[in-house]
Amino acid sequence: GGNVVDKRSHQLLAVDDRFVGSDGQPMAAVHYLGISAGKIGESVGEALFAEMQKRGWKAEESGCMAVTYDELDTIKDRTEGAIAGLTGKGFPADRVFKTATAKLEIPAAIDAANVLLTQKADIKQWLICAGNDTCVMGAVRATEGRGLAAEQVIGIGINGTDCLNEFRKEKMNGFVASSLLSAKEHGFRTAEMMYKWIVDGVEPPKDTRTIGVLINRENYQQVYAEQGLTL
């Protein structure tokens, strides 16, 4: 995180990390540009629903596996956002099943997914969400271990970094997409907001949150190039 200050006119914009007051609460009076964990999650849930429709899946024949890790607020907000985005599109809430992972690592996520796959062995079509790429990848590995084909699984991660090898594999698997957190967009918005505030006198909103860019096998190389990221 970082903060941008113009000492002459005292414009102040907190970026990534918020200023905290003496009461321990974020200072709402200070303009803030951050990343919305909840909205990133919502976009993942909506993308899961869109892919499910594209495949012609029926909700009553499918299940959503949410690999949870509530110890970290950001991960929890992302996962809850994904569930909200999916159910907000009409996916039944009683077809969403949570399973807690002990760590944000592939082996722990495999274990968590296997618990749920054992409990719900009758479900053969799975939507998978979690707070990061790694947990979705672990859940996808677990479905493969149960003999489910790529066509029976839709996993969408968050971060867009740990999943690149999934996209590079010759054959498609159940990990279909990820929300790439856009540092370029974040930095551009910071500079743009400060410029307009200082030069044009246009005060930015008190609280602005950016979200991610959805990447998949087909577009990840192009998006990485556009974001100035190296593969």
Side-chain angles (χ1 to χ4, degrees), residues 3 14-20 26-30 32 206-207 209:
N3 303 298
V15 182
D16 291 342
D17 299 317
R18 301 190 73 170
F19 282 96
V20 176
M27 295 172 66
V30 177
Y32 174 66
K206 286 289 187 183
D207 194 327
R209 308 291 176 107

Side-chain angles (χ1 to χ4, degrees), residues 9-209:
S9 53
H10 302 291
Q11 277 102 330
L12 180 63
L13 176 65
V15 182
D16 291 342
D17 299 317
R18 301 190 73 170
F19 282 96
V20 176
S22 58
D23 61 354
Q25 297 302 308
M27 295 172 66
V30 177
H31 295 75
Y32 174 66
L33 175 64
I35 295 173
S36 174
K39 286 187 178 178
I40 287 168
E42 282 182 35
S43 69
V44 166
E46 290 167 0
L48 283 169
F49 189 80
E51 180 64 23
M52 185 185 86
Q53 286 194 309
K54 183 178 170 185
R55 296 189 185 189
W57 290 9
K58 294 179 180 178
E60 62 270 19
E61 297 173 355
S62 310
C64 173
M65 178 191 302
V67 181
T68 64
Y69 187 81
D70 290 350
E71 289 82 351
L72 280 181
D73 286 343
T74 299
I75 297 294
K76 182 179 180 181
D77 289 348
R78 291 176 178 184
T79 310
E80 293 296 329
I83 294 170
L86 180 61
T87 55
K89 288 292 184 179
F91 191 84
D94 62 0
R95 303 296 296 172
V96 177
F97 308 103
K98 295 180 179 180
T99 183
T101 181
K103 295 179 181 178
L104 296 174
E105 297 173 357
I106 288 177
I110 290 174
D111 291 342
N114 274 327
V115 170
L116 186 57
L117 292 170
T118 299
Q119 293 172 345
K120 305 293 179 181
D122 56 317
I123 298 175
K124 301 302 181 187
Q125 295 177 161
W126 283 102
L127 306 167
I128 300 173
C129 63
N132 65 5
D133 289 336
T134 307
C135 288
V136 174
M137 288 160 63
V140 169
R141 295 291 90 80
T143 63
E144 292 168 349
R146 297 288 172 129
L148 296 182
E151 293 76 18
Q152 295 172 276
V153 179
I154 303 170
I156 299 182
I158 296 176
N159 281 341
T161 51
D162 299 323
C163 62
L164 296 183
N165 283 337
E166 301 297 305
F167 299 150
R168 292 184 181 119
K169 290 177 179 176
E170 188 177 345
K171 288 187 177 181
M172 187 194 85
N173 61 37
F175 192 105
V176 301
S178 178
S179 181
L180 172 67
L181 305 187
S182 174
K184 183 178 180 181
E185 168 73 6
H186 210 54
F188 180 87
R189 292 285 292 280
T190 300
E192 182 182 49
M193 286 164 63
M194 286 303 294
Y195 180 88
K196 288 183 176 179
W197 196 5
I198 295 167
V199 177
D200 301 330
V202 178
E203 183 179 347
K206 286 289 187 183
D207 194 327
T208 303
R209 308 291 176 107

